[in-house]
Amino acid sequence: MSLWINEKVKQGIIELKAVHGAAPIFAQEKNDKIRMRPLVDLTARNEITIKDDERIPNQRMILNSLGRARYRSKIDLSDAYFQTRVEPKDVDKNGFKSPFGCFVSKVIPQADMNAQGTFMRIMSVLFADYLGQFMRVYIDDILI
């Protein structure tokens, strides 16, 4: 955990800062069963957050529409939410506490209930000219 925190501080993604109501952080096993993913427990904050109405696209429909293509490609956006900055006035709402101090995240936390919808909306705006023609966005994947 300390290596991850030090890396994110150096990258400018998080910073050491004492904030009121900081959430606890824990490590969750990744799908490969080898690596761990640090996650902030945002359960309390998510309970009082207004839910985003962004709908996740139907995965089967996306795959069917791409199934007719001669060539297909999938781009998995690594650490997608870490590339999405939070408004500076809202950074203190992303506080988390660890054994190594209290920090704030300058990017969307993965456990934020609206992270998927926010990220997909950003991708939809960025790629509006291509969506439906030869490109689809599904959560943090770009399908061509």
Side-chain angles (χ1 to χ4, degrees), residues 17-120:
K17 185 174 183 183
V19 292
H20 179 70
I25 189 170
F26 63 95
Q28 179 185 44
E29 190 176 75
K30 285 191 170 190
N31 291 341
D32 63 12
K33 307 285 187 206
I34 298 169
R35 297 176 293 161
M36 299 297 281
R37 170 187 298 129
L39 283 176
V40 178
D41 182 2
L42 295 178
T43 305
R45 189 182 88 182
N46 285 340
E47 287 177 359
I48 60 170
T49 299
I50 297 170
K51 181 147 176 59
D52 191 343
D53 64 353
E54 185 74 19
R55 302 281 186 249
I56 294 175
N58 183 302
Q59 189 176 20
R60 183 165 307 282
M61 287 176 53
I62 291 174
L63 294 174
N64 286 342
S65 69
L66 295 171
R68 296 181 297 269
R70 185 172 178 185
Y71 301 102
R72 292 182 295 272
S73 182
K74 176 186 167 205
I75 302 169
D76 185 3
L77 301 173
S78 177
D79 292 329
Y81 305 142
F82 286 154
Q83 299 173 35
T84 308
R85 294 282 173 174
V86 172
E87 290 284 338
K89 65 180 176 57
D90 294 325
V91 166
D92 285 357
K93 297 173 187 173
N94 290 333
F96 65 91
K97 55 189 170 194
S98 78
F100 311 103
C102 190
F103 298 84
V104 292
S105 176
K106 299 178 186 179
V107 297
I108 296 177
Q110 290 183 343
D112 185 303
M113 69 185 289
N114 291 324
Q116 289 180 347
T118 300
F119 188 77
M120 285 181 52

